[in-house]
Amino acid sequence: MKKASKYYLVDASVLPEVFLKVVEAKKILSSGAIKNVNEAVRKVGISRSAYYKYKDYIFPFYETSQGKVITLFFTVEDYAGILSSIINRIADSKANIITINQNIPINGLADVTITIETGQMIREIKDLLDDISSIEGVKRQEILARE
């Protein structure tokens, strides 16, 4: 019988270095910069056995969002095209938009709630949010909920 998994949220600064290097190797491989495990582990400075021992047990926090429904909240300036810019960034990351709700602007600012499904995303949710925050007129953003 398989033992049930337990999960903990731990600050990376207290983890053994090998765990961080495994995550780094996984990121290199998923980016396509390096095509095989041998090169990736050599680049980050760990053995193949260490990589294979831990690769299925350590993940960046945002990677655990894959295949989930996430509700994002934004406060944006009220001008034509800003919502379109946000939607385009989400579409470029291959997230599936489920709902969009924009409130009536008050004092030149509008609240926008967008719910996405992340199963087909080609990047981490953190990277998507960083990208959206660079859009001129996006004043605030946060993750409201994860399912």
Side-chain angles (χ1 to χ4, degrees):
M1 180 182 268
K2 187 177 177 181
K3 186 177 177 183
S5 297
K6 285 187 179 182
Y7 297 96
Y8 300 93
L9 186 60
V10 179
D11 190 297
S13 66
V14 300
L15 289 174
E17 187 177 10
V18 68
F19 292 148
L20 303 175
K21 289 185 175 189
V22 168
V23 170
E24 190 177 340
K26 288 172 61 172
K27 189 171 185 176
I28 290 169
L29 288 166
S30 70
S31 75
I34 292 178
K35 300 286 187 222
N36 66 54
V37 172
N38 285 338
E39 289 181 50
V41 297
R42 191 176 313 119
K43 182 172 178 136
V44 300
I46 58 173
S47 68
R48 280 174 33 101
S49 63
Y51 174 79
Y52 283 112
K53 181 177 182 179
Y54 298 118
K55 75 175 184 71
D56 295 327
Y57 300 100
I58 182 142
F59 306 94
F61 176 71
Y62 288 101
E63 190 174 300
T64 60
S65 298
Q66 283 300 105
K68 306 286 186 198
V69 174
I70 298 177
T71 301
L72 307 172
F73 173 82
F74 305 96
T75 299
V76 299
E77 292 180 359
D78 180 33
Y79 67 82
I82 192 163
L83 183 56
S84 176
S85 296
I86 293 170
I87 291 169
N88 286 336
R89 303 285 172 95
I90 293 170
D92 290 344
S93 72
K94 306 292 188 231
N96 182 36
I97 296 174
I98 299 172
T99 64
I100 300 171
N101 182 34
Q102 180 175 352
N103 294 338
I104 296 171
I106 298 174
N107 297 325
L109 296 174
D111 291 333
V112 177
T113 306
I114 301 175
T115 302
I116 61 172
E117 197 278 319
T118 62
Q120 302 299 314
M121 280 185 68
I122 58 174
R123 61 198 297 204
E124 293 182 19
I125 190 74
K126 179 187 183 304
D127 295 334
L128 172 61
L129 290 175
D130 288 345
D131 192 20
I132 291 172
S133 71
S134 70
I135 297 171
E136 186 177 337
V138 174
K139 297 300 183 187
R140 178 176 165 217
Q141 66 179 16
E142 67 181 88
I143 296 174
L144 279 185
R146 296 174 191 251
E147 294 180 25

